[in-house]
Amino acid sequence: MQKVTDSSDTTVALMRGIGVAAREAARALALAPRAAKDKALTAAARAVRRDAPKILDANAKDVAAAKAAGRLDSYVDRLVLNPKRVEAIAQGLEDVAALADPVGAVLADWTRPNGLRIQRVRVPLGVIGIIYESRPNVTADAGALSLKSGNAAILRGGSDSHHSSLAIHACLAEGLAAAGLPAAAIQYVETTDRDAVGHMLAGLDGAIDVIVPRGGKGLVQRVQDEARVPVFAHLEGICHTYVDRDADLDMACSVVANAKMRRVGVCGATECLLVDSNAPAGYLSALVAALID
């Protein structure tokens, strides 16, 4: 796909083409066997490991640009990749491949008094549009989960992670080709034109079935306000760590410190510490001291 950077009719045509291709791919993915989907994911993981130097070089460009733009350290931390994080991306793809295939799973099964048998069965949604910010690993995570669940994905990452996401997406595309699955099963919107997000929120002429935003409050709010298709949104402030009155203090200090300080910039870092009011005296101060240290 050719990179486009201007806001024009070219962007409109580009996004419509992406939508049409995704809809066609969704039909094939809905019927794809688990073996094909897993082969694509494991092949993509191998490509990520092989191309780790390329991914890190691409990421260095993004990080340099973010620092030059005066981004906060916590923001840059979410953007930065290193060999360990690239390996985690590859391992994540393999972990998704190892999951049971959700497509076709029977969730409920009952028979009516008249003999009519009814089942509730998991089926793909179709085409999922995923809009996210600066974390390049989301490109792999979102693409992998969509593929495993039999859905075509249209990915729109933040411009700050543009080079990193393109390098990671190339590995996903290689995996799809290795498994004989449609290249449009996982598409990355290569244009940096912000209007591309608006086209996705409008549904790409009916091509997109649902939008998933992943990012800060501003992004989620925009998606909820402007989307003309269903949205799977998330809220903020859900990362709590609770320490029970019977908890082992040394273990609690270790868990709380890790939950917050392992990577303070990620969305999974603890935001709120709750301590049972009946916990022994000194528990709270010890926990706070552990965080300060």
Side-chain angles (χ1 to χ4, degrees), residues 1 17 23 35 83-84 104 135 176 186 206 220-221 231 239 248 285:
M1 184 184 300
R23 177 56 61 191
K84 184 177 180 180
R135 291 178 61 188
L176 291 170
I186 304 174
V220 175
Q221 189 63 57
V231 174
C239 299
D248 177 271
S285 58

Side-chain angles (χ1 to χ4, degrees), residues 17-35:
I18 288 175
V20 170
R23 177 56 61 191
E24 298 245 340
R27 297 188 183 97
L29 282 184
L31 302 175
R34 172 180 178 174

Side-chain angles (χ1 to χ4, degrees), residues 252-283:
C253 287
S254 176
V255 169
V256 168
N258 177 267
K260 180 62 180 178
M261 305 307 296
R262 181 178 62 87
R263 277 189 74 189
V264 297
V266 299
C267 56
T270 289
E271 297 164 328
C272 182
L273 173 63
L274 300 174
V275 179
D276 192 319
S277 60
N278 294 313
Y283 262 45

Side-chain angles (χ1 to χ4, degrees), residues 5 113 117 142 144 162 175 200:
T5 56
R117 185 181 180 186
H162 186 70
M200 290 181 66

Side-chain angles (χ1 to χ4, degrees), residues 3 8 40 57 74 85-86 95 129 159 168 182 206 219 239 285 287 292:
K3 180 181 175 182
S8 65
D57 286 346
S74 59
R85 292 180 183 180
V86 173
D95 289 344
S159 58
I168 293 169
L219 170 66
C239 299
S285 58
L287 292 164
I292 293 174

Side-chain angles (χ1 to χ4, degrees), residues 75-87:
Y75 187 96
V76 174
D77 177 65
R78 290 194 294 272
L79 176 62
V80 168
L81 293 177
N82 54 38
K84 184 177 180 180
R85 292 180 183 180
V86 173
E87 172 57 29

